[in-house]
Each structure stands twice: as C-alpha cells, then as structure tokens.
Amino acid sequence: MNANARQILRGRHFFANPGPTNIPDAVLRAIDRPTIDFNDAEFLPVYSAVFEGIKRIVGTSQNLFMYTGSGHAAWEATLTNLLSPGDAVLMVESGYFSESWGKMAAAHGLDVRTVATDWRQGADMAQLRAALDADHARAIKAVCVVHNETATGMMLPLPEVRAALDATRHPALLLVDTISSLGSLAFRMDAWGIDAAVGGSQKGLMNPAGLSFTAVSEKAMAAHEKAKLGRFYFDWTVMLNRSPHKSFVGTVPVNAFYGLDAAIKMIEEEGLENVVARHHRLAEGVRRAVAVWAGNHGPQLFCANPSRVSDSVTAVRMPEGFDAEVLRAAVRGRFNVSLGGGLGPLAGQVFRIGHMGDLNEPMVLGVLAAVEMALRQGRVPHGRGGVEAAMAYFSGD
Ligand SMILES: *Cc1c(COP(=O)(O)O)cnc(C)c1O
C-alpha cells in the first residue's frame, strides 16, 4: 500500500458550508435538460412562475430584476441602479459581508458611512437612530443592512432598522442583503417597508450559484429614474424595455430557471412558515451542541447576542491557541464533512456550520458528530456530549 496515497473517502460528502448549500435531487433533475430557446413558448411559463414564486418568497408584490451572476452581481446592480456618484450610504456594520458591500460602494464613488459595530454583539439600533438624526442635510440616500451576517452567524432585526428610519422621519432607501436569509429565516419585504431586497440562488434557495436578483419597491423605482451611477448589464431600465422578459441583459439562463422552479415548488409544498420553523429547530440543535462543547473552556458561539443568533448559520469560535483551519481540515479529511471557515479577520479563529436549505436532523447530527470527533482527536478542550444534547433537543426530551 502506498502510504502517501490520498485517502479515498466513501459515502456521501456532507456539505455543511453556509453557502453554497446542498442541491436537492429534485433540483438537480430539473436542471438536467436539453437547451431550449429562452423565447420558446415552452419556457416562458417557467420564467413567469419563477418570477412570481421569488416574489412570494420575498414577500413583495412590487418589482423584481434578475441577473446571471452570484450575489455580488445583485449587490452591484442594486447600488448602481439606485444611487449617484457622491451619494452617501449608511452601512450598518455586521461583519465581513457588510464590509465587502461597503468596499463595493466605495469603489463606485459613493460616500460610505458606517454604523460601527462589535461583530459579536451586532449593531446598536440607538446608534443607527443617532446617525440618521444627525444627518440634517439628508445626505444619506440609502441605509444598507445585511439581514443575516453569514460570517458571524448573526441575524439583524429588520423591523427595528425600519423603525429607526421612521422615528427619525429619514427618507433614505432601505437596502437589504437577504442572500443567506431568504428561504431560511422570516423575511417580508413589503410588510417590513424594505425598498430593495438582494437575494441569490445558492443558499436557502438550494440551487447552484449563478443567479441573483433584487426585489425593488415603487419608492426605489422612483429613485432609480434619477440615479446616475454607470451601469449597462445591470440597468433596470434596459431590462424593462426587454420584451417579454423585462429582466436580464443577454442570454437568459434557462436551465437555472428550471432549477429555481423546482426549489420554489419544494419550499411552497413544505410551506414557507414550516421551512422557517425547520431552520429554527435545526439551528437550535446545533446551538445546544455548541453550548455543551463550550464547557471546559471549549469552542463557543461567536454570536454573543442571544436574541440575534442566526437560524441559517452558526459561527463557532475556537479556544485560544487552537486553529479553526486545522479542525476544518481534519473534519474534511477524515470524515468527509465540509465546514465553512472564518472570513476576514476571523480566519483561523472561527469555523462555521451552515444549516440552511435541504437539510434534516440526521444530516445535522452527522455534521455535529464529525466536529465532536475531530475535537477529541485534535485534543481541543471541550465539554463532552454536544451531539447527545442535540439529540435530546431533536427528540423533544
Ligand atoms: C454569500 C453571501 C454574499 C455573496 O454572494 P456570492 O453569491 O458569493 O457573490 C453576500 N452576502 C451574504 C450575506 C452572503 O451570505
């Protein structure tokens, strides 16, 4: 036997990254079909069904624009369609993803202001209110919020953000990144007074990366008419003039639509509220396990604000002196389980368990067991019995 041979791992690869996510068999089968013309009469009903389905999941009866591109494309489309050079935007800092969206805004010549935040506690709404109140000139044209910060495992209460805008009578648009919350956490665009909701295909919507979109309020469409940032591929006006699609500039990714159509049917067959409840249940099981591991100075939840823990991803902070990347490599190499790593300044300190999309209790328990075994093998201090605690929770003990 060649001792250097890479170990062949059999059995199912357990994919527990917080995006992309597992693609259900029904979606894989729906995508696997021969090419047809995107103007073909056979395709147009699927195109419309996906538009209507996404709007129902987003909770809007307003506008929707879709792009071929990952979530970053929708970030860029949203900024460039709504803003003009030099406009101020207020970024509510949450972590790596709010920082990245802010860098993109700065690259487009926007004046990026930030509500600075402790990443473990999350944004202080009083501070947000104060920043809006202090903007007497009403220079801030948009408030940008990441609903679910995938890097830290924290969810922000959007109704409280809306309330801060209302309390200060600030007219800024409210732009929200729902990429890792849509189809996993409760989100209602129209009811919550959101002006633009950015989403992507490869997280709660259980599809490959490559499709993203923005749902847009009428108020935001009025702002779009005056917005002067450069754009073409992402221009909503160009899209609206495109018949019959009224979205996309260029080839429409037909197969991706069949995949999304299948995913929307799955979500609606289960019921959106039940999908959200399932995500909460699975997330709570993960948190019960982490709470046990945290004993004996072990790994602990990165999110230190219990009212904001995310139901789609859990970030776990390693004890001082232990490298999260070593643990991740062990989990992947020995047990064929893929976890998310720490992003930006959290690299090496944090590993992330994704629990969004097509997932059930045994899948979550498998991932937790792999992590707990790797903690033992790596001699990382931890409380024993995390998996047991998750099983007790899942079985209603
Ligand atoms: C994944 C993610 C993104 C980036 O999306 P890509 O599809 O990787 O471009 C943006 N925001 C959040 C909150 C995400 O989770």
Side-chain angles (χ1 to χ4, degrees):
M1 193 181 112
N2 179 357
N4 294 322
R6 190 164 173 274
Q7 194 186 353
I8 303 294
L9 300 168
R10 296 291 182 212
R12 192 101 189 175
H13 177 54
F14 268 44
F15 191 75
N17 288 47
T21 65
N22 292 292
I23 303 176
D25 292 349
V27 171
L28 290 173
R29 287 194 208 104
I31 294 169
D32 179 10
R33 58 185 353 268
T35 305
I36 58 169
D37 187 335
F38 57 82
N39 288 308
D40 197 282
E42 189 185 320
F43 174 61
L44 294 177
V46 177
Y47 183 86
S48 305
V50 166
F51 263 72
E52 292 313 309
I54 296 283
K55 284 166 77 167
R56 286 192 299 274
I57 292 171
V58 170
T60 188
S61 57
Q62 304 184 76
N63 311 276
L64 179 69
F65 298 98
M66 296 189 82
Y67 331 98
T68 308
S70 76
H72 280 73
W75 269 354
E76 189 146 6
T78 305
L79 296 174
T80 58
N81 275 287
L82 293 176
L83 298 158
S84 299
D87 278 355
V89 297
L90 186 61
M91 190 64 66
V92 178
E93 184 182 359
S94 52
Y96 180 80
F97 286 99
S98 69
E99 280 193 350
S100 303
W101 200 9
K103 280 182 193 159
M104 179 186 275
H108 279 290
L110 296 168
D111 166 12
V112 180
R113 305 176 185 185
T114 303
V115 179
T117 300
D118 172 341
W119 287 13
R120 297 195 69 186
Q121 288 297 334
D124 175 7
M125 293 296 145
Q127 216 179 312
L128 167 64
R129 214 161 37 239
L132 291 169
D133 234 353
D135 180 32
H136 301 297
R138 299 302 193 226
I140 297 167
K141 299 301 177 211
V143 173
C144 301
V145 185
V146 175
H147 183 201
N148 184 74
E149 174 54 72
T150 323
T152 62
M154 187 183 293
M155 185 264 316
L156 276 185
L158 294 173
E160 292 180 28
V161 176
R162 179 73 257 171
L165 279 155
D166 293 345
T168 54
R169 298 177 183 276
H170 200 294
L173 298 171
L174 177 51
L175 316 185
V176 175
D177 171 342
T178 72
I179 296 175
S180 67
S181 58
L182 205 63
S184 304
L185 315 184
F187 176 78
R188 305 314 294 154
M189 170 166 160
D190 291 355
W192 293 357
I194 284 151
D195 293 302
V198 172
S201 56
Q202 82 277 28
K203 299 198 181 173
L205 299 180
M206 307 178 285
N207 266 258
L211 258 198
S212 56
F213 50 84
T214 316
V216 188
S217 74
E218 294 303 334
K219 177 181 168 185
M221 286 309 292
H224 166 64
E225 310 238 311
K226 299 192 202 101
K228 296 198 172 54
L229 278 179
R231 55 184 182 259
F232 186 88
Y233 183 64
F234 292 127
D235 195 326
W236 296 340
T237 299
V238 173
M239 292 181 190
L240 282 174
N241 286 322
R242 195 172 188 218
S243 176
H245 301 92
K246 305 212 179 301
S247 206
F248 292 97
V249 175
T251 305
V252 179
V254 166
N255 290 58
F257 268 80
Y258 282 95
L260 267 185
D261 187 44
I264 292 164
K265 288 191 172 112
M266 284 177 69
I267 289 170
E268 296 194 326
E269 180 188 39
E270 186 177 351
L272 195 49
E273 282 180 21
N274 295 326
V275 171
V276 169
R278 174 170 54 83
H279 279 81
H280 176 71
R281 192 167 69 245
L282 297 177
E284 187 55 33
V286 171
R287 291 190 286 264
R288 299 281 173 114
V290 178
V292 171
W293 296 338
N296 195 21
H297 305 289
Q300 52 173 283
L301 277 188
F302 181 79
C303 176
N305 188 335
S307 67
R308 291 182 176 178
V309 285
S310 164
D311 282 342
S312 63
V313 49
T314 298
V316 183
R317 190 161 88 141
M318 290 292 276
E320 206 66 49
F322 291 88
D323 187 346
E325 289 306 298
V326 171
L327 183 88
R328 230 158 62 82
V331 168
R332 174 68 181 90
R334 175 67 180 83
F335 300 115
N336 203 3
V337 172
S338 179
L339 302 171
L343 296 175
L346 303 183
Q349 294 178 25
V350 155
F351 67 88
R352 294 175 302 143
I353 301 172
H355 32 83
M356 65 182 103
D358 189 32
L359 213 63
N360 59 23
E361 285 85 349
M363 291 163 84
V364 168
L365 289 169
V367 170
L368 294 174
V371 172
E372 196 160 326
M373 288 187 285
L375 290 172
R376 285 188 188 212
Q377 290 186 328
R379 306 202 180 286
V380 180
H382 66 282
R384 295 275 172 108
V387 175
E388 172 64 29
M391 287 198 296
Y393 173 73
F394 288 148
S395 51
D397 267 12

